[in-house]
Amino acid sequence: MGNRLTQIATRTGDGGTTGLGNNQRVSKNSLRVHAMGDVDELNSHIGLLLCEDMPADVRAVLVEIQHQLFNLGGELSVPGFELLKPEAVLALDEALECYNAQLPRLREFILPAGTRAAAQAHVCRTVARRAERSVVALGQEEAIHDAPRQYLNRLSDLMFVLARVLNRMHGGDDVYWKSERMQRGEPG
């Protein structure tokens, strides 16, 4: 992990392989590379979300998540290496409990909509789910630690909750799915 990027276009991947953090070359279509790419994409989507207006405490949580996702990606890039600590999963649990306690009980499923920030948080949620599936698939083929899978699972839940928080930031609300039950006026 001591290597730093000094040259970006190395052309070593032109043959369809890439180098892992331990200098092992693997197919760009390997489960490990798919998982690394999904985590990287998730981190980029969170970066896009951070361009939006939001409360300072939510921003601080998201910035820390970006750092932890970088740790997670680093862990995935070196088979057997551990960078993401169980404390990172606990921090997500605490944030999830804190923000969820501020929200009203859901009456129905909600659509991934509302404000642009909330919609982007939903994109982050779905990419986190895909990254989780990639890490699970990798874990079925190779030994990996529990924290990456757990972190992505909790993160997708937190992104759902933060989408709801962001929708309420300026007095908005969730965008509810118009189910038959709600149309009949039945309670949730």
Side-chain angles (χ1 to χ4, degrees), residues 32 35 39 42 68-69 71-77 81-86 88-89 92 128 131-136 138-139 143-156:
R32 185 170 293 278
V39 168
L42 173 57
Q68 294 302 331
L69 286 174
N71 285 339
L72 197 161
E75 182 169 326
L76 291 172
S77 76
F81 196 60
E82 182 181 24
L83 266 176
L84 187 70
K85 303 299 182 200
V89 177
L92 289 184
E132 180 187 8
R133 290 189 302 270
S134 293
V135 168
V136 167
L138 174 62
I144 59 171
H145 297 98
D146 291 336
R149 183 187 67 255
Q150 294 167 348
Y151 191 85
L152 292 167
N153 181 272
R154 298 305 192 297
L155 180 55
S156 62

Side-chain angles (χ1 to χ4, degrees), residues 28-117:
K28 289 185 178 188
N29 195 35
S30 73
L31 292 174
R32 185 170 293 278
V33 174
H34 277 282
M36 290 165 39
D38 289 342
V39 168
D40 186 34
E41 182 182 350
L42 173 57
N43 209 342
S44 296
H45 277 292
I46 291 174
L48 184 59
L49 174 57
L50 284 165
C51 294
E52 299 294 329
D53 182 36
M54 67 185 63
D57 58 316
V58 172
R59 181 173 303 283
V61 166
L62 292 173
V63 168
E64 177 60 22
I65 287 168
Q66 281 199 301
H67 287 279
Q68 294 302 331
L69 286 174
F70 209 83
N71 285 339
L72 197 161
E75 182 169 326
L76 291 172
S77 76
V78 182
F81 196 60
E82 182 181 24
L83 266 176
L84 187 70
K85 303 299 182 200
E87 295 80 19
V89 177
L90 292 175
L92 289 184
D93 283 334
E94 290 170 2
L96 189 55
E97 184 177 334
C98 171
Y99 289 106
N100 199 41
Q102 302 171 22
L103 296 169
R105 183 176 165 269
L106 280 172
R107 297 175 292 144
E108 186 57 84
F109 288 107
I110 63 172
L111 298 178
T115 66
R116 193 164 83 173

Side-chain angles (χ1 to χ4, degrees), residues 124-167:
C124 294
R125 172 185 58 80
T126 62
V127 176
R129 286 284 187 220
R130 178 166 26 96
E132 180 187 8
R133 290 189 302 270
S134 293
V135 168
V136 167
L138 174 62
Q140 291 173 343
E141 299 295 321
E142 300 180 38
I144 59 171
H145 297 98
D146 291 336
R149 183 187 67 255
Q150 294 167 348
Y151 191 85
L152 292 167
N153 181 272
R154 298 305 192 297
L155 180 55
S156 62
D157 292 339
L158 179 60
M159 295 312 300
F160 177 83
V161 167
L162 291 180
R164 297 188 68 209
V165 167
L166 292 168
N167 263 339

